Amino acid sequence: MAQMQTPNVQMPPSRAFTFHLDFEGLGWLTIDVPDAPVNTLSRETLAELAGIVTALEEMASSGELKGVVLLSGKDSGFIAGADITEFDEMSDPGVLRAALDRAHGLFDRIEALKVPVVAGIHGFCLGGGLELALACHYRVAVNDDRTRLGFPEVNLGIFPGFGGSGRSIRQAGPVDAMQIMLTGKLLRASPARRMGLVDKLVRVRDTLRWEARKAVLQARKSSPAPFTKRVMALGPVRGYVANKMRAEVGRKAKPEHYPAPYSLIELFEQHGDDWRAMKRGEAERFIPLMNSNTSKNLRRVFFLSEGLKKQGVRGKDKPVFRRVHVIGAGVMGGDIAAWCALRGMGVTLQDLDMERIKPALDRAKALFRKRLRSKTEIDNAVARLEADVTGKGLARADVVIEAVVENLEIKRKIFAEAELKTRPGAILATNTSSIELERIAENLTAPGRLIGLHFFNPVAQLPLVEVIRSRFNADADIARGAAFALAIGKSPVVVKSAPGFLVNRVLMPYMLGAVQRVEAGANKEQIDAAAVAFGMPMGPIELMDTVGLDVGKSVAEELGNPVAPDSQFARLIADRKLGRKTGQGFYTWSNGKAVKGEVPPHPDLAGLGRELVQPLVNATAVAVAEGVVASDDLADIGVIYGTGFAPFLGGPMQARKDGRA
Ligand code: 3H9
């Protein structure tokens, strides 16, 4: 640690920042917001920073200060953005405008400091945190697995509001900067450097200070994006680029549901060739977005999903999961095993013979190649996943997951054996989607050991795991199940053992209602388009084809809605036209896509969509009333994660409260 000087200028008191001036005249400014796991820029923190910047200005003028290095004192990273918990208080446009102006003024003053200011970045550097880093003159980042830079604001229904729209365009050029702002995609250090958001990489955090010191002493200054990049925002090219961006965004989000990306593109279209004008124009467009229902609901979804992370077991009793044993190498079992191995667990995958296990191992390899970066990482993941025909992994496992055919007797047999062979503390879990948990558990010596862990297909893409609670389970059993789901990076929602659990129970009446309409003569393309116009990610008929008509039928039966034998639905199943997997269902499928005809005009497509989702919304309300899930909040986040239900509406219960569904 460098020797410290006492600055002649008095630093104002601060809770979040510490400042040291070293003998070389370097000012080391560290942000470490107290009592918080991550640094965020609250109004208090920004006010403290403003006071510190005043002192820095004086020290720079007197020649006492040669430069500043801004670092984070938290292991979690640099800064995770503006403090989202304060956003509700900013619903008054006047209050928000003043807050934005203050932050802009402050960041401009940092940029105008007469001495070099260098940001040293490790871990998360997001939203307002990246905007602050971009106001520094030079950025050094740790090139390790944990560093992530980006603008996740669109996920909250807004875009960067602390000058980041302009400054990111200045540094990365219009196309790259708009791309990361429009998608919310987070970058690792190396691509961030290639893009121009970061200037220098170091390999480990320990060398960050050294490199930042060098950057200050050499007065390094980041260069703006070269002309070859900036040209994409000049003259008529900009309009063309903006239209392409609109088309790209339009594939995923409609302006009436998610206005933020469209508003950002308009801002770019107006000022994309002048980063200062872009920055100045930000607030006017930002304020209505922050106050939109979309943003309020997306913020709610953010906090609900944060709430899910608090489930499980914390503190000294926090279980450690190292080994998972999966029984059943079909699509679900194989994919669960692959996912657990991807997330670092040692996994044994059991089935009757190698022939049954081999396809799962092949799929796992494809997943590892897609998700992991280096050959070593891929090889390690492959090595972590072991075929296990004899079931030797059972005795060593921390978690046993059964995912065999939906046959009560087979499942009972598996768990009777598992109960004897596993360690007493190991979790026993079934991935059943249709058999009451109590019936599988009732013959066990300790039936409370069995929980449900209901994954969704495709496992690698869907974040939800329903943690199913039977009447035998104690809170601790369920907390451990939730802890395991979190340990493999999934979002657990605790659900009572009841037919269809939560997701299938609410989806089925919606999908079957749509099928009935089609059978009664409605146009399937129009039905699907209506659901999408309402805000669903996919229409119900296309979804039925994707899930598989045979699967849909068995879930429908389980929920007491047998498919009429003379229906088109039953005929398709009889003809083995099971949907996407057979190339034909309600739709013909080609290259994994439903071949769709023209959508006949309808005077109120979104209104029709609202009618279509009504059974889903009603079923969710009944599920809450019957205690299948503990609260409206859990129902909302469960249904959003499990069905893709319109996040901008905040979930079915919220939409119902707001009179929007
Ligand atoms: C922004 O910057 C807008 C500006 O342009 C303009 C504004 C006017 N605020 O998730 P974790 C809390 S918008 C408040 O468990 P992880 C989180 O709720 C912001 N709180 O850790 C949790 O609290 P608790 C753009 C925040 O390692 C705790 O920190 N930034 C914020 O799994 C630990 O979090 C974002 O959208 C925040 N910004 O994941 C990033 N961030 O312990 C949002 C975190 O009470 N944050 N908390 O439950 C994230 O995505 C994740 O938290 C992160 C870490 C990836 C950083």
Side-chain angles (χ1 to χ4, degrees), residues 37-38 40 80-84 124 128 131 152-153 160-162 306 309-310:
V38 300
T40 58
D83 185 348
I84 305 166
F124 290 107
E131 297 179 277
E153 280 92 338
F162 287 164
E306 289 293 307
K309 293 186 194 165
K310 292 207 178 74

Side-chain angles (χ1 to χ4, degrees), residues 420-563:
L420 290 176
K421 289 196 177 159
T422 47
R423 307 186 291 101
I427 294 178
L428 302 184
T430 170
N431 181 51
T432 184
S433 61
S434 61
I435 304 177
E436 230 180 301
L437 216 58
E438 284 81 355
R439 299 190 64 204
I440 308 175
E442 63 197 0
N443 292 341
L444 297 178
T445 317
R449 274 186 76 186
L450 183 76
I451 61 168
L453 288 177
H454 186 212
F455 290 78
F456 291 83
N457 186 13
V459 175
Q461 270 145 50
L462 295 180
L464 182 68
V465 171
E466 290 178 323
V467 179
I468 314 297
R469 178 175 193 145
S470 81
R471 67 183 162 81
F472 300 121
N473 294 129
D475 289 349
D477 304 317
I478 295 306
R480 280 159 45 76
F484 171 68
L486 289 168
I488 54 167
K490 294 286 177 193
S491 301
V493 171
V494 178
V495 178
K496 198 168 81 176
S497 170
F501 307 135
L502 174 65
V503 170
N504 285 346
R505 176 182 178 138
V506 305
L507 263 182
M508 256 320 130
Y510 156 66
M511 289 162 73
L512 291 177
V515 167
Q516 271 164 13
R517 284 178 189 245
V518 171
E519 300 222 348
N523 176 281
K524 61 182 184 305
E525 281 86 354
Q526 190 177 60
I527 293 282
D528 279 347
V532 173
F534 170 81
M536 300 302 280
M538 181 188 276
I541 305 296
E542 188 176 347
L543 182 61
M544 185 63 94
D545 263 9
T546 306
V547 167
L549 272 62
D550 50 342
V551 176
K553 175 173 180 276
S554 81
V555 178
E557 280 166 357
E558 168 210 332
L559 290 168
N561 293 304
V563 171

Side-chain angles (χ1 to χ4, degrees), residues 1-12:
M1 167 73 78
Q3 208 180 321
M4 295 304 160
Q5 296 280 99
T6 310
N8 293 324
V9 176
Q10 182 73 34
M11 269 290 155

Side-chain angles (χ1 to χ4, degrees), residues 140-186:
V140 184
V142 180
N143 189 17
D144 69 9
D145 230 27
R146 296 177 59 198
T147 300
R148 291 287 186 285
L149 298 99
F151 291 114
E153 280 92 338
V154 279
N155 301 325
L156 299 168
I158 52 176
F159 58 67
F162 287 164
S165 64
R167 287 198 175 93
S168 63
I169 284 191
R170 178 187 67 188
Q171 294 310 127
V175 173
D176 285 346
M178 286 296 286
Q179 175 76 7
I180 54 167
M181 287 189 279
L182 290 172
T183 57
K185 195 176 153 207
L186 306 188

Side-chain angles (χ1 to χ4, degrees), residues 327-329 350-351 402-407 410-411 414 431-432:
I327 304 171
Q350 182 179 0
D351 212 316
E402 165 275 313
V404 302
V405 284
E406 293 288 74
N407 177 310
I410 298 179
K411 287 181 196 281
I414 285 172
N431 181 51
T432 184

